[in-house]
Amino acid sequence: MNQEITAPTVRLIDADGSQIGIVTKSEALERASQAGYDLAEIAAGAQPPVVKILDWGKYQYEQTKQLQKSRKRQRQVEVKQVRLGLKIGDHDLEVKLNRAHKFLTEGNKVKISVVFRGREITHPDLGRALLDRVTSTLADIGTQEQPPQLAGRDMSMIIGPHKDGKTQNP
């Protein structure tokens, strides 16, 4: 595939990576067709523009493979949710916190929500106290990223794993 090159002279790089030098645009196109390859513009902003003789299909294939490889190494961080009631028992809270602990050790963020039912909404201070208790319990594995916020009948906060991936001793 021959890309449109506007300059009369270009700096040509051969298919093996060696520099040929400054040649005219027509000469660069001729050399590429003689070699059975395509001419691609590498650096358009340079003076003169840099072009390279290469196999365009192979080049695109390698770029796609490199992109797939970099995506494979990335990890999507999910936000898991743990919902608590205001009148939760100690054992039930312990079970929910163990679940949140597992999520944090896997590298995910955890959204802790306290759901207010009925007239419980008149006591947001009790919900904040419960979330503070959760924060102090999970402090060894995670840090609070978003402070408690009341939205409708839910008060929620987000706890993320420590940046270094190690647990801290309280």
Side-chain angles (χ1 to χ4, degrees):
M1 176 186 150
N2 296 333
Q3 295 181 356
E4 188 60 36
I5 305 166
T6 56
T9 60
V10 293
R11 182 176 304 275
L12 184 64
I13 299 174
D14 202 8
D16 60 2
S18 61
Q19 274 201 31
I20 294 176
I22 298 175
V23 296
T24 63
K25 181 170 68 171
S26 58
E27 185 180 342
L29 285 169
E30 187 178 315
R31 284 188 182 209
S33 63
Q34 285 176 355
Y37 291 118
D38 300 311
L39 188 66
E41 192 169 17
I42 303 297
Q47 276 303 346
V50 180
V51 295
K52 184 174 182 178
I53 297 174
L54 51 79
D55 183 0
W56 185 253
K58 183 178 179 183
Y59 175 74
Q60 281 188 317
Y61 174 78
E62 288 171 354
Q63 293 289 20
T64 305
K65 284 297 181 187
Q66 190 176 20
L67 184 65
Q68 287 174 349
K69 191 175 182 181
S70 68
R71 282 186 186 157
K72 188 177 182 181
R73 281 186 249 131
Q74 289 180 348
R75 184 181 185 286
Q76 292 286 55
V77 176
E78 294 182 41
V79 178
K80 304 286 188 169
Q81 185 171 12
V82 176
R83 294 176 53 132
L84 310 171
L86 189 60
K87 299 176 184 174
I88 191 167
D90 289 337
H91 182 264
D92 294 334
L93 181 62
E94 188 179 317
V95 170
K96 298 277 188 170
L97 291 178
N98 285 341
R99 199 75 180 139
H101 194 277
K102 180 182 176 216
F103 291 149
L104 289 169
T105 54
E106 290 172 354
N108 295 312
K109 294 182 180 183
V110 179
K111 180 178 181 180
I112 310 284
S113 298
V114 175
V115 181
F116 295 101
R117 292 189 176 90
R119 294 185 184 167
E120 291 176 350
I121 194 70
T122 59
H123 300 286
D125 53 325
L126 295 176
R128 189 171 302 277
L130 180 60
L131 289 176
D132 289 342
R133 185 174 159 196
V134 169
T135 303
S136 64
T137 306
L138 295 175
D140 65 327
I141 190 79
T143 55
Q144 182 177 341
E145 293 184 357
Q146 177 184 329
Q149 294 178 338
L150 187 63
R153 293 196 161 271
D154 291 351
M155 182 179 283
S156 60
M157 69 175 180
I158 294 180
I159 297 177
H162 287 301
K163 298 291 182 211
D164 57 1
K166 297 177 183 175
T167 60
Q168 294 179 351
N169 292 331

